[in-house]
Amino acid sequence: MAANPQPRVKRPHGDVVNLSHGSGGKAMRDLIEGLILPALGASSATPLEDQARIDVPEILGNGDRIAFTTDSYVVDPLSFPGGDIGTLAVNGTVNDLAVGGARPIVLSCSLILEEGLPFSILEKMMCSMARAAQAARVRIVTGDTKVVPRGSADKLFINTAGIGIIPNGVHLEIARIRPGDQLLLNGHLGDHGAAILKARGDLALDADVESDCQPLHGIIAALLAAAPGTRCIRDVTRGGLATVLNEFAGGAGVGMRIVEDSIPVRPVVRGICEVLGLDPLYLANEGKLLAVVPKEEAGAALEALRSCPEGTYAGMIGEVLAGPPGRVVLSSHFGGERIVDMLVGEQLPRIC
């Protein structure tokens, strides 16, 4: 579906979603054909089948392996500085494909609507999805809509699944990590988590910070072209950088060291963390990646990251060690070291 910048939306009768909009009858048809499809930029001639049909040549493209992923989004509030649940649903799934080296092609969109959700909010979120899909050059090709009684959900939940193609010769796996490899991060940590905290309004935060929600497949393509020996990539989302590092170290049976002064964190985010007793290493992000690159390709990889708008503040933040296996340490600006454990518990619930 191509995004339509001015969708001709015809909202169903009334102002809010009710249970009949999930009944499978005329009210549901009116909601899908009058609001959801136009907001997503679909043609009025779009067939409403139970599945999307995609030509095999389009899926395979120039690769020989298919990547498939799915994710659900329950962020609270629905809108926040720098994005909303619609942009998050598209970019999050695009990025889950991209970190495996895949070129995202198509997405699905399934909606769980709470009775009483205003049509105006639903329309806004669907238009956001359309714009995000257009920017990421992917198509939303199929979906589903369910309505639950008031109080059984929280306004709107979205599930998206995605299919992409992995180009020939691209193999990104944690098991390929070796001692001496360099750790590269494409920008500031914690922007998304801080933006959600601000949007919730529970605290009097006078902070100018926006979510980093953005697609990463473009910058990953540039990275792989410059550093074809890249070992693996992961998007740094829930659990933050610390959790990804521990997953890498444990999965590869190696140690890792990061340098505190090399890790970019905006002053406003660092200030929020200091006030609330949070650690930016554990804050969620929605537009950050951690790449493990052979030392001899690290310079070219960093240059490629910084050449993209998503990587303006990219840097080398540490290295892979021979051991102890599974241990991650941080070298502080005071000259000491501390162990960086995986996140225990939930630092900020409903973050994505």
Side-chain angles (χ1 to χ4, degrees), residues 206-246:
D206 184 17
D208 185 14
V209 61
E210 293 188 350
S211 170
D212 59 340
C213 184
Q214 60 184 342
L216 294 172
H217 56 305
I219 191 173
I220 289 174
L223 168 64
L224 294 179
T230 297
R231 311 295 195 190
C232 61
I233 307 171
R234 185 70 59 84
D235 53 336
V236 184
T237 54
R238 287 174 297 171
L241 176 65
T243 296
V244 175
L245 288 166
N246 276 275

PDB file of all heavy atoms in Angstrom, residues 206-246:
ATOM      1  N   ASP A 206      10.927  19.172  32.876  1.00  0.00           N
ATOM      2  CA  ASP A 206      11.075  20.258  31.907  1.00  0.00           C
ATOM      3  C   ASP A 206      12.242  19.887  31.000  1.00  0.00           C
ATOM      4  O   ASP A 206      13.349  20.394  31.123  1.00  0.00           O
ATOM      5  CB  ASP A 206      11.336  21.584  32.625  1.00  0.00           C
ATOM      6  CG  ASP A 206      11.401  22.758  31.651  1.00  0.00           C
ATOM      7  OD1 ASP A 206      10.934  22.585  30.502  1.00  0.00           O
ATOM      8  OD2 ASP A 206      11.923  23.826  32.032  1.00  0.00           O
ATOM      9  N   ALA A 207      11.971  18.950  30.074  1.00  0.00           N
ATOM     10  CA  ALA A 207      13.044  18.394  29.256  1.00  0.00           C
ATOM     11  C   ALA A 207      12.637  18.419  27.799  1.00  0.00           C
ATOM     12  O   ALA A 207      11.533  18.011  27.437  1.00  0.00           O
ATOM     13  CB  ALA A 207      13.343  16.959  29.685  1.00  0.00           C
ATOM     14  N   ASP A 208      13.521  18.903  26.960  1.00  0.00           N
ATOM     15  CA  ASP A 208      13.288  18.944  25.521  1.00  0.00           C
ATOM     16  C   ASP A 208      13.989  17.737  24.899  1.00  0.00           C
ATOM     17  O   ASP A 208      15.151  17.799  24.519  1.00  0.00           O
ATOM     18  CB  ASP A 208      13.819  20.248  24.932  1.00  0.00           C
ATOM     19  CG  ASP A 208      13.497  20.379  23.452  1.00  0.00           C
ATOM     20  OD1 ASP A 208      12.647  19.608  22.975  1.00  0.00           O
ATOM     21  OD2 ASP A 208      14.091  21.249  22.784  1.00  0.00           O
ATOM     22  N   VAL A 209      13.270  16.629  24.806  1.00  0.00           N
ATOM     23  CA  VAL A 209      13.842  15.400  24.268  1.00  0.00           C
ATOM     24  C   VAL A 209      12.780  14.669  23.462  1.00  0.00           C
ATOM     25  O   VAL A 209      11.607  14.644  23.843  1.00  0.00           O
ATOM     26  CB  VAL A 209      14.392  14.501  25.396  1.00  0.00           C
ATOM     27  CG1 VAL A 209      13.298  14.095  26.366  1.00  0.00           C
ATOM     28  CG2 VAL A 209      15.088  13.281  24.830  1.00  0.00           C
ATOM     29  N   GLU A 210      13.180  14.105  22.330  1.00  0.00           N
ATOM     30  CA  GLU A 210      12.275  13.366  21.470  1.00  0.00           C
ATOM     31  C   GLU A 210      12.750  11.928  21.316  1.00  0.00           C
ATOM     32  O   GLU A 210      13.949  11.639  21.410  1.00  0.00           O
ATOM     33  CB  GLU A 210      12.174  14.009  20.085  1.00  0.00           C
ATOM     34  CG  GLU A 210      11.503  15.368  20.075  1.00  0.00           C
ATOM     35  CD  GLU A 210      11.252  15.859  18.662  1.00  0.00           C
ATOM     36  OE1 GLU A 210      11.766  15.237  17.703  1.00  0.00           O
ATOM     37  OE2 GLU A 210      10.531  16.868  18.505  1.00  0.00           O
ATOM     38  N   SER A 211      11.801  11.040  21.068  1.00  0.00           N
ATOM     39  CA  SER A 211      12.138   9.652  20.790  1.00  0.00           C
ATOM     40  C   SER A 211      13.028   9.567  19.551  1.00  0.00           C
ATOM     41  O   SER A 211      12.926  10.381  18.631  1.00  0.00           O
ATOM     42  CB  SER A 211      10.862   8.832  20.560  1.00  0.00           C
ATOM     43  OG  SER A 211      11.169   7.541  20.066  1.00  0.00           O
ATOM     44  N   ASP A 212      13.897   8.568  19.529  1.00  0.00           N
ATOM     45  CA  ASP A 212      14.760   8.331  18.374  1.00  0.00           C
ATOM     46  C   ASP A 212      14.127   7.360  17.394  1.00  0.00           C
ATOM     47  O   ASP A 212      14.819   6.787  16.541  1.00  0.00           O
ATOM     48  CB  ASP A 212      16.118   7.798  18.833  1.00  0.00           C
ATOM     49  CG  ASP A 212      15.994   6.490  19.619  1.00  0.00           C
ATOM     50  OD1 ASP A 212      14.883   6.206  20.125  1.00  0.00           O
ATOM     51  OD2 ASP A 212      16.986   5.757  19.739  1.00  0.00           O
ATOM     52  N   CYS A 213      12.819   7.153  17.457  1.00  0.00           N
ATOM     53  CA  CYS A 213      12.125   6.187  16.606  1.00  0.00           C
ATOM     54  C   CYS A 213      12.402   6.463  15.135  1.00  0.00           C
ATOM     55  O   CYS A 213      12.041   7.518  14.610  1.00  0.00           O
ATOM     56  CB  CYS A 213      10.623   6.259  16.889  1.00  0.00           C
ATOM     57  SG  CYS A 213       9.649   5.048  16.005  1.00  0.00           S
ATOM     58  N   GLN A 214      13.056   5.511  14.464  1.00  0.00           N
ATOM     59  CA  GLN A 214      13.441   5.679  13.066  1.00  0.00           C
ATOM     60  C   GLN A 214      13.794   4.322  12.467  1.00  0.00           C
ATOM     61  O   GLN A 214      14.186   3.406  13.178  1.00  0.00           O
ATOM     62  CB  GLN A 214      14.651   6.608  12.939  1.00  0.00           C
ATOM     63  CG  GLN A 214      15.887   6.124  13.663  1.00  0.00           C
ATOM     64  CD  GLN A 214      17.045   7.106  13.613  1.00  0.00           C
ATOM     65  OE1 GLN A 214      17.091   8.007  12.795  1.00  0.00           O
ATOM     66  NE2 GLN A 214      18.005   6.922  14.508  1.00  0.00           N
ATOM     67  N   PRO A 215      13.653   4.167  11.149  1.00  0.00           N
ATOM     68  CA  PRO A 215      14.065   2.914  10.508  1.00  0.00           C
ATOM     69  C   PRO A 215      15.577   2.873  10.356  1.00  0.00           C
ATOM     70  O   PRO A 215      16.224   3.888  10.119  1.00  0.00           O
ATOM     71  CB  PRO A 215      13.362   2.968   9.152  1.00  0.00           C
ATOM     72  CG  PRO A 215      13.235   4.429   8.856  1.00  0.00           C
ATOM     73  CD  PRO A 215      13.044   5.108  10.182  1.00  0.00           C
ATOM     74  N   LEU A 216      16.138   1.670  10.448  1.00  0.00           N
ATOM     75  CA  LEU A 216      17.592   1.516  10.446  1.00  0.00           C
ATOM     76  C   LEU A 216      18.120   0.732   9.251  1.00  0.00           C
ATOM     77  O   LEU A 216      19.326   0.533   9.142  1.00  0.00           O
ATOM     78  CB  LEU A 216      18.044   0.816  11.733  1.00  0.00           C
ATOM     79  CG  LEU A 216      17.829   1.578  13.038  1.00  0.00           C
ATOM     80  CD1 LEU A 216      18.131   0.679  14.234  1.00  0.00           C
ATOM     81  CD2 LEU A 216      18.686   2.838  13.087  1.00  0.00           C
ATOM     82  N   HIS A 217      17.260   0.288   8.333  1.00  0.00           N
ATOM     83  CA  HIS A 217      17.767  -0.566   7.259  1.00  0.00           C
ATOM     84  C   HIS A 217      18.680   0.177   6.300  1.00  0.00           C
ATOM     85  O   HIS A 217      19.588  -0.420   5.719  1.00  0.00           O
ATOM     86  CB  HIS A 217      16.619  -1.252   6.506  1.00  0.00           C
ATOM     87  CG  HIS A 217      15.599  -0.343   5.931  1.00  0.00           C
ATOM     88  ND1 HIS A 217      14.925   0.586   6.671  1.00  0.00           N
ATOM     89  CD2 HIS A 217      15.108  -0.235   4.669  1.00  0.00           C
ATOM     90  CE1 HIS A 217      14.065   1.221   5.905  1.00  0.00           C
ATOM     91  NE2 HIS A 217      14.158   0.753   4.680  1.00  0.00           N
ATOM     92  N   GLY A 218      18.490   1.495   6.150  1.00  0.00           N
ATOM     93  CA  GLY A 218      19.375   2.262   5.277  1.00  0.00           C
ATOM     94  C   GLY A 218      20.789   2.346   5.823  1.00  0.00           C
ATOM     95  O   GLY A 218      21.766   2.101   5.109  1.00  0.00           O
ATOM     96  N   ILE A 219      20.912   2.666   7.099  1.00  0.00           N
ATOM     97  CA  ILE A 219      22.239   2.791   7.699  1.00  0.00           C
ATOM     98  C   ILE A 219      22.903   1.421   7.813  1.00  0.00           C
ATOM     99  O   ILE A 219      24.133   1.298   7.672  1.00  0.00           O
ATOM    100  CB  ILE A 219      22.159   3.501   9.077  1.00  0.00           C
ATOM    101  CG1 ILE A 219      23.557   3.860   9.576  1.00  0.00           C
ATOM    102  CG2 ILE A 219      21.427   2.662  10.101  1.00  0.00           C
ATOM    103  CD1 ILE A 219      23.545   4.705  10.851  1.00  0.00           C
ATOM    104  N   ILE A 220      22.109   0.373   8.015  1.00  0.00           N
ATOM    105  CA  ILE A 220      22.691  -0.968   8.078  1.00  0.00           C
ATOM    106  C   ILE A 220      23.220  -1.393   6.716  1.00  0.00           C
ATOM    107  O   ILE A 220      24.294  -2.009   6.614  1.00  0.00           O
ATOM    108  CB  ILE A 220      21.657  -1.965   8.625  1.00  0.00           C
ATOM    109  CG1 ILE A 220      21.439  -1.704  10.121  1.00  0.00           C
ATOM    110  CG2 ILE A 220      22.110  -3.409   8.394  1.00  0.00           C
ATOM    111  CD1 ILE A 220      20.338  -2.524  10.750  1.00  0.00           C
ATOM    112  N   ALA A 221      22.520  -1.045   5.653  1.00  0.00           N
ATOM    113  CA  ALA A 221      23.016  -1.358   4.307  1.00  0.00           C
ATOM    114  C   ALA A 221      24.339  -0.660   4.045  1.00  0.00           C
ATOM    115  O   ALA A 221      25.275  -1.240   3.476  1.00  0.00           O
ATOM    116  CB  ALA A 221      21.980  -0.958   3.260  1.00  0.00           C
ATOM    117  N   ALA A 222      24.444   0.614   4.488  1.00  0.00           N
ATOM    118  CA  ALA A 222      25.693   1.352   4.316  1.00  0.00           C
ATOM    119  C   ALA A 222      26.813   0.713   5.130  1.00  0.00           C
ATOM    120  O   ALA A 222      27.962   0.600   4.666  1.00  0.00           O
ATOM    121  CB  ALA A 222      25.499   2.806   4.736  1.00  0.00           C
ATOM    122  N   LEU A 223      26.505   0.282   6.342  1.00  0.00           N
ATOM    123  CA  LEU A 223      27.500  -0.374   7.199  1.00  0.00           C
ATOM    124  C   LEU A 223      28.012  -1.663   6.557  1.00  0.00           C
ATOM    125  O   LEU A 223      29.233  -1.896   6.501  1.00  0.00           O
ATOM    126  CB  LEU A 223      26.875  -0.679   8.560  1.00  0.00           C
ATOM    127  CG  LEU A 223      27.654  -1.609   9.494  1.00  0.00           C
ATOM    128  CD1 LEU A 223      28.985  -0.992   9.891  1.00  0.00           C
ATOM    129  CD2 LEU A 223      26.822  -1.951  10.729  1.00  0.00           C
ATOM    130  N   LEU A 224      27.103  -2.484   6.058  1.00  0.00           N
ATOM    131  CA  LEU A 224      27.512  -3.769   5.488  1.00  0.00           C
ATOM    132  C   LEU A 224      28.293  -3.596   4.192  1.00  0.00           C
ATOM    133  O   LEU A 224      29.178  -4.403   3.884  1.00  0.00           O
ATOM    134  CB  LEU A 224      26.286  -4.646   5.257  1.00  0.00           C
ATOM    135  CG  LEU A 224      25.537  -5.091   6.524  1.00  0.00           C
ATOM    136  CD1 LEU A 224      24.321  -5.926   6.152  1.00  0.00           C
ATOM    137  CD2 LEU A 224      26.454  -5.859   7.463  1.00  0.00           C
ATOM    138  N   ALA A 225      27.980  -2.537   3.442  1.00  0.00           N
ATOM    139  CA  ALA A 225      28.754  -2.276   2.223  1.00  0.00           C
ATOM    140  C   ALA A 225      30.187  -1.887   2.561  1.00  0.00           C
ATOM    141  O   ALA A 225      31.137  -2.273   1.870  1.00  0.00           O
ATOM    142  CB  ALA A 225      28.086  -1.178   1.412  1.00  0.00           C
ATOM    143  N   ALA A 226      30.371  -1.121   3.641  1.00  0.00           N
ATOM    144  CA  ALA A 226      31.702  -0.663   4.033  1.00  0.00           C
ATOM    145  C   ALA A 226      32.465  -1.711   4.837  1.00  0.00           C
ATOM    146  O   ALA A 226      33.699  -1.762   4.774  1.00  0.00           O
ATOM    147  CB  ALA A 226      31.578   0.627   4.849  1.00  0.00           C
ATOM    148  N   ALA A 227      31.742  -2.519   5.597  1.00  0.00           N
ATOM    149  CA  ALA A 227      32.380  -3.522   6.466  1.00  0.00           C
ATOM    150  C   ALA A 227      31.673  -4.859   6.273  1.00  0.00           C
ATOM    151  O   ALA A 227      30.880  -5.295   7.114  1.00  0.00           O
ATOM    152  CB  ALA A 227      32.320  -3.082   7.923  1.00  0.00           C
ATOM    153  N   PRO A 228      31.931  -5.544   5.157  1.00  0.00           N
ATOM    154  CA  PRO A 228      31.231  -6.800   4.864  1.00  0.00           C
ATOM    155  C   PRO A 228      31.515  -7.909   5.861  1.00  0.00           C
ATOM    156  O   PRO A 228      30.770  -8.887   5.923  1.00  0.00           O
ATOM    157  CB  PRO A 228      31.747  -7.171   3.466  1.00  0.00           C
ATOM    158  CG  PRO A 228      33.037  -6.427   3.317  1.00  0.00           C
ATOM    159  CD  PRO A 228      32.875  -5.162   4.087  1.00  0.00           C
ATOM    160  N   GLY A 229      32.563  -7.761   6.645  1.00  0.00           N
ATOM    161  CA  GLY A 229      32.868  -8.774   7.656  1.00  0.00           C
ATOM    162  C   GLY A 229      32.147  -8.566   8.973  1.00  0.00           C
ATOM    163  O   GLY A 229      32.428  -9.280   9.944  1.00  0.00           O
ATOM    164  N   THR A 230      31.232  -7.607   9.038  1.00  0.00           N
ATOM    165  CA  THR A 230      30.476  -7.338  10.267  1.00  0.00           C
ATOM    166  C   THR A 230      29.943  -8.638  10.858  1.00  0.00           C
ATOM    167  O   THR A 230      29.340  -9.455  10.156  1.00  0.00           O
ATOM    168  CB  THR A 230      29.315  -6.368   9.990  1.00  0.00           C
ATOM    169  OG1 THR A 230      29.857  -5.111   9.566  1.00  0.00           O
ATOM    170  CG2 THR A 230      28.473  -6.150  11.234  1.00  0.00           C
ATOM    171  N   ARG A 231      30.176  -8.827  12.148  1.00  0.00           N
ATOM    172  CA  ARG A 231      29.807 -10.103  12.786  1.00  0.00           C
ATOM    173  C   ARG A 231      28.308 -10.196  13.061  1.00  0.00           C
ATOM    174  O   ARG A 231      27.665 -11.178  12.702  1.00  0.00           O
ATOM    175  CB  ARG A 231      30.543 -10.246  14.116  1.00  0.00           C
ATOM    176  CG  ARG A 231      32.026  -9.986  14.077  1.00  0.00           C
ATOM    177  CD  ARG A 231      32.782 -10.986  13.244  1.00  0.00           C
ATOM    178  NE  ARG A 231      34.220 -10.895  13.532  1.00  0.00           N
ATOM    179  CZ  ARG A 231      35.156 -11.505  12.828  1.00  0.00           C
ATOM    180  NH1 ARG A 231      34.827 -12.260  11.797  1.00  0.00           N
ATOM    181  NH2 ARG A 231      36.439 -11.363  13.148  1.00  0.00           N
ATOM    182  N   CYS A 232      27.776  -9.178  13.746  1.00  0.00           N
ATOM    183  CA  CYS A 232      26.354  -9.187  14.067  1.00  0.00           C
ATOM    184  C   CYS A 232      25.913  -7.782  14.428  1.00  0.00           C
ATOM    185  O   CYS A 232      26.737  -6.896  14.710  1.00  0.00           O
ATOM    186  CB  CYS A 232      26.036 -10.159  15.204  1.00  0.00           C
ATOM    187  SG  CYS A 232      26.857  -9.775  16.760  1.00  0.00           S
ATOM    188  N   ILE A 233      24.595  -7.563  14.399  1.00  0.00           N
ATOM    189  CA  ILE A 233      23.996  -6.264  14.700  1.00  0.00           C
ATOM    190  C   ILE A 233      22.748  -6.526  15.533  1.00  0.00           C
ATOM    191  O   ILE A 233      22.045  -7.515  15.320  1.00  0.00           O
ATOM    192  CB  ILE A 233      23.610  -5.504  13.413  1.00  0.00           C
ATOM    193  CG1 ILE A 233      24.786  -5.408  12.450  1.00  0.00           C
ATOM    194  CG2 ILE A 233      23.081  -4.113  13.741  1.00  0.00           C
ATOM    195  CD1 ILE A 233      24.416  -4.860  11.075  1.00  0.00           C
ATOM    196  N   ARG A 234      22.452  -5.634  16.432  1.00  0.00           N
ATOM    197  CA  ARG A 234      21.217  -5.731  17.215  1.00  0.00           C
ATOM    198  C   ARG A 234      20.673  -4.323  17.439  1.00  0.00           C
ATOM    199  O   ARG A 234      21.434  -3.398  17.711  1.00  0.00           O
ATOM    200  CB  ARG A 234      21.488  -6.411  18.559  1.00  0.00           C
ATOM    201  CG  ARG A 234      20.273  -6.671  19.420  1.00  0.00           C
ATOM    202  CD  ARG A 234      19.366  -7.742  18.858  1.00  0.00           C
ATOM    203  NE  ARG A 234      20.060  -9.027  18.693  1.00  0.00           N
ATOM    204  CZ  ARG A 234      20.210  -9.918  19.683  1.00  0.00           C
ATOM    205  NH1 ARG A 234      19.751  -9.673  20.892  1.00  0.00           N
ATOM    206  NH2 ARG A 234      20.821 -11.066  19.439  1.00  0.00           N
ATOM    207  N   ASP A 235      19.354  -4.164  17.331  1.00  0.00           N
ATOM    208  CA  ASP A 235      18.773  -2.884  17.684  1.00  0.00           C
ATOM    209  C   ASP A 235      18.641  -2.818  19.202  1.00  0.00           C
ATOM    210  O   ASP A 235      18.261  -3.779  19.859  1.00  0.00           O
ATOM    211  CB  ASP A 235      17.438  -2.637  16.976  1.00  0.00           C
ATOM    212  CG  ASP A 235      16.442  -3.765  17.177  1.00  0.00           C
ATOM    213  OD1 ASP A 235      16.856  -4.901  17.449  1.00  0.00           O
ATOM    214  OD2 ASP A 235      15.229  -3.513  17.058  1.00  0.00           O
ATOM    215  N   VAL A 236      18.969  -1.666  19.747  1.00  0.00           N
ATOM    216  CA  VAL A 236      19.041  -1.493  21.206  1.00  0.00           C
ATOM    217  C   VAL A 236      17.689  -0.968  21.690  1.00  0.00           C
ATOM    218  O   VAL A 236      17.443   0.230  21.703  1.00  0.00           O
ATOM    219  CB  VAL A 236      20.172  -0.525  21.586  1.00  0.00           C
ATOM    220  CG1 VAL A 236      20.308  -0.421  23.097  1.00  0.00           C
ATOM    221  CG2 VAL A 236      21.487  -0.983  20.966  1.00  0.00           C
ATOM    222  N   THR A 237      16.795  -1.881  22.079  1.00  0.00           N
ATOM    223  CA  THR A 237      15.442  -1.480  22.471  1.00  0.00           C
ATOM    224  C   THR A 237      15.241  -1.720  23.962  1.00  0.00           C
ATOM    225  O   THR A 237      15.981  -1.189  24.778  1.00  0.00           O
ATOM    226  CB  THR A 237      14.405  -2.238  21.614  1.00  0.00           C
ATOM    227  OG1 THR A 237      14.639  -3.652  21.711  1.00  0.00           O
ATOM    228  CG2 THR A 237      14.526  -1.839  20.148  1.00  0.00           C
ATOM    229  N   ARG A 238      14.216  -2.504  24.325  1.00  0.00           N
ATOM    230  CA  ARG A 238      13.960  -2.765  25.741  1.00  0.00           C
ATOM    231  C   ARG A 238      15.169  -3.423  26.399  1.00  0.00           C
ATOM    232  O   ARG A 238      15.791  -4.297  25.829  1.00  0.00           O
ATOM    233  CB  ARG A 238      12.739  -3.682  25.889  1.00  0.00           C
ATOM    234  CG  ARG A 238      11.420  -3.014  25.597  1.00  0.00           C
ATOM    235  CD  ARG A 238      10.300  -4.028  25.615  1.00  0.00           C
ATOM    236  NE  ARG A 238      10.465  -5.028  24.564  1.00  0.00           N
ATOM    237  CZ  ARG A 238       9.727  -6.126  24.460  1.00  0.00           C
ATOM    238  NH1 ARG A 238       8.786  -6.364  25.350  1.00  0.00           N
ATOM    239  NH2 ARG A 238       9.925  -6.974  23.466  1.00  0.00           N
ATOM    240  N   GLY A 239      15.485  -2.995  27.598  1.00  0.00           N
ATOM    241  CA  GLY A 239      16.655  -3.516  28.299  1.00  0.00           C
ATOM    242  C   GLY A 239      17.911  -2.732  28.020  1.00  0.00           C
ATOM    243  O   GLY A 239      18.900  -2.856  28.735  1.00  0.00           O
ATOM    244  N   GLY A 240      17.869  -1.912  26.951  1.00  0.00           N
ATOM    245  CA  GLY A 240      18.961  -1.004  26.672  1.00  0.00           C
ATOM    246  C   GLY A 240      20.237  -1.672  26.197  1.00  0.00           C
ATOM    247  O   GLY A 240      20.300  -2.877  25.918  1.00  0.00           O
ATOM    248  N   LEU A 241      21.283  -0.856  26.108  1.00  0.00           N
ATOM    249  CA  LEU A 241      22.586  -1.315  25.634  1.00  0.00           C
ATOM    250  C   LEU A 241      23.148  -2.420  26.517  1.00  0.00           C
ATOM    251  O   LEU A 241      23.740  -3.390  26.023  1.00  0.00           O
ATOM    252  CB  LEU A 241      23.554  -0.130  25.596  1.00  0.00           C
ATOM    253  CG  LEU A 241      25.001  -0.441  25.202  1.00  0.00           C
ATOM    254  CD1 LEU A 241      25.066  -0.939  23.759  1.00  0.00           C
ATOM    255  CD2 LEU A 241      25.888   0.790  25.395  1.00  0.00           C
ATOM    256  N   ALA A 242      22.967  -2.309  27.817  1.00  0.00           N
ATOM    257  CA  ALA A 242      23.527  -3.296  28.736  1.00  0.00           C
ATOM    258  C   ALA A 242      23.013  -4.692  28.447  1.00  0.00           C
ATOM    259  O   ALA A 242      23.765  -5.674  28.467  1.00  0.00           O
ATOM    260  CB  ALA A 242      23.207  -2.907  30.178  1.00  0.00           C
ATOM    261  N   THR A 243      21.728  -4.808  28.150  1.00  0.00           N
ATOM    262  CA  THR A 243      21.138  -6.114  27.888  1.00  0.00           C
ATOM    263  C   THR A 243      21.670  -6.706  26.584  1.00  0.00           C
ATOM    264  O   THR A 243      21.987  -7.904  26.514  1.00  0.00           O
ATOM    265  CB  THR A 243      19.604  -6.003  27.843  1.00  0.00           C
ATOM    266  OG1 THR A 243      19.134  -5.609  29.142  1.00  0.00           O
ATOM    267  CG2 THR A 243      18.962  -7.324  27.472  1.00  0.00           C
ATOM    268  N   VAL A 244      21.784  -5.889  25.535  1.00  0.00           N
ATOM    269  CA  VAL A 244      22.318  -6.379  24.262  1.00  0.00           C
ATOM    270  C   VAL A 244      23.754  -6.862  24.441  1.00  0.00           C
ATOM    271  O   VAL A 244      24.137  -7.923  23.934  1.00  0.00           O
ATOM    272  CB  VAL A 244      22.243  -5.288  23.181  1.00  0.00           C
ATOM    273  CG1 VAL A 244      22.925  -5.762  21.893  1.00  0.00           C
ATOM    274  CG2 VAL A 244      20.800  -4.919  22.891  1.00  0.00           C
ATOM    275  N   LEU A 245      24.575  -6.105  25.144  1.00  0.00           N
ATOM    276  CA  LEU A 245      25.965  -6.498  25.374  1.00  0.00           C
ATOM    277  C   LEU A 245      26.050  -7.843  26.093  1.00  0.00           C
ATOM    278  O   LEU A 245      26.867  -8.703  25.748  1.00  0.00           O
ATOM    279  CB  LEU A 245      26.680  -5.426  26.188  1.00  0.00           C
ATOM    280  CG  LEU A 245      26.998  -4.120  25.458  1.00  0.00           C
ATOM    281  CD1 LEU A 245      27.391  -3.044  26.457  1.00  0.00           C
ATOM    282  CD2 LEU A 245      28.111  -4.323  24.430  1.00  0.00           C
ATOM    283  N   ASN A 246      25.196  -8.030  27.098  1.00  0.00           N
ATOM    284  CA  ASN A 246      25.208  -9.298  27.832  1.00  0.00           C
ATOM    285  C   ASN A 246      24.734 -10.456  26.968  1.00  0.00           C
ATOM    286  O   ASN A 246      25.254 -11.567  27.079  1.00  0.00           O
ATOM    287  CB  ASN A 246      24.353  -9.171  29.092  1.00  0.00           C
ATOM    288  CG  ASN A 246      25.105  -8.566  30.256  1.00  0.00           C
ATOM    289  OD1 ASN A 246      25.799  -9.271  30.989  1.00  0.00           O
ATOM    290  ND2 ASN A 246      24.990  -7.255  30.430  1.00  0.00           N
TER     291      ASN A 246
END
